[in-house]
Amino acid sequence: MITTENVAAAFDEVAPSYDLMVALNPSYHSHLRAAADALVERLPRSRLDGVPPPVRLVDLGCGSGASTRAVQQAAEAAGLDFGIVGVDASVGMLEQARAKRWPTSVRFEVGQAEEICWSRDLWGLGDGVHGAFAAYLFRNLADRDPVLAGLCDLLADDGVLVVQEYSVAGSRRAQLIWTAVCWLAIIPLGWLTSRRTRLYRYLWRSVRSFDSIQTFVDRLYRAGFTDVEVRTASGWQRGILHTFRMRKPSAVS
């Protein structure tokens, strides 16, 4: 049975077919891009000379690179000079990410989110970052508060964090829809694409047990973030998929 302690190994198992699997969800990439746009639009925009300053970004839990691509494309569309470090605990998923074509400003590191407080130098993030992105990560963490606190510490003053995650707690309608979609679509498609279903059954369980929106928002404020905003996706994922955006307050504010 998959738990938060061995979820990386489960991703290793399905890594070769994972991109095909998510491609079968027609809104997967568009939702990632919308969340990445929400991150980029709050980053530093211009200096006194009108030139956007260089920004350092981290994609925590980057998987096979789909979220990293969304952040890259959003930064390019905004005309930013950027560097992105993608971090993930699954070696198999990172192999898929590294096999894609990337600009020299994008690189990937193996690591667990829980290591953020002491591995930032190893990941090349010792100087901190201006923006952090975490898609579909936090429900896989047994202890979320230290990771959020570590991300807040990693961010520069006024830095931005965007989290995209499923949450159905407290909504009977959302729980029923999520269960139906998982057992009628996601789990069967997982079998067709990889001949494995345990990761996708874990997906069903982990979403059902994840924090309610308010519980997660409370965690964000306790970690030191401010100006927390939440929006939900459209379509069948309304009330199921949510984007959280927040900032680290300036030391002088």
Side-chain angles (χ1 to χ4, degrees), residues 64-81:
S64 64
S67 52
T68 314
R69 185 73 77 196
V71 174
Q72 173 205 340
Q73 292 173 342
E76 289 175 342
L80 298 181
D81 178 8

Side-chain angles (χ1 to χ4, degrees), residues 43-218:
L43 293 174
R45 304 303 294 178
S46 65
R47 300 184 300 224
L48 293 178
D49 58 8
V51 178
V55 293
R56 299 183 301 275
L57 307 170
V58 62
D59 179 16
L60 195 61
C62 65
S64 64
S67 52
T68 314
R69 185 73 77 196
V71 174
Q72 173 205 340
Q73 292 173 342
E76 289 175 342
L80 298 181
D81 178 8
F82 66 91
I84 305 173
V85 178
V87 179
D88 201 273
S90 168
V91 174
M93 294 290 273
L94 284 181
E95 287 177 354
Q96 299 300 311
R98 288 170 172 152
K100 300 177 172 68
R101 297 187 63 178
W102 300 97
T104 57
S105 57
V106 177
R107 60 184 175 83
F108 296 94
E109 300 287 344
V110 178
Q112 294 183 333
E114 295 89 344
E115 301 170 353
I116 193 168
C117 292
W118 60 86
S119 293
R120 52 194 290 178
D121 289 331
L122 294 175
W123 300 341
L125 299 173
D127 294 331
V129 298
H130 300 98
F133 194 71
Y136 311 113
L137 169 72
F138 276 94
R139 62 185 166 75
N140 298 319
L141 304 181
D143 202 355
R144 295 153 193 154
D145 292 329
V147 176
L148 287 169
L151 276 170
C152 192
D153 183 64
L154 179 65
L155 284 167
D157 286 356
D158 293 318
V160 183
L161 168 64
V162 167
V163 173
Q164 184 157 284
E165 190 55 272
Y166 298 111
S167 172
V168 299
S171 171
R172 181 65 174 166
R173 172 186 174 277
Q175 292 170 6
L176 290 172
I177 293 173
W178 176 246
T179 292
V181 169
C182 282
W183 287 97
L184 296 177
I186 295 175
I187 294 170
L189 287 173
W191 170 252
L192 288 175
T193 56
S194 67
R195 290 299 185 264
R196 298 177 184 272
T197 64
R198 72 176 192 138
L199 178 65
Y200 304 109
R201 287 182 282 118
Y202 163 79
L203 169 65
W204 169 65
R205 293 194 310 272
S206 64
V207 171
R208 286 176 56 88
S209 62
F210 185 60
D211 295 343
S212 69
I213 294 172
Q214 188 59 57
T215 297
F216 192 67
V217 167
D218 290 343

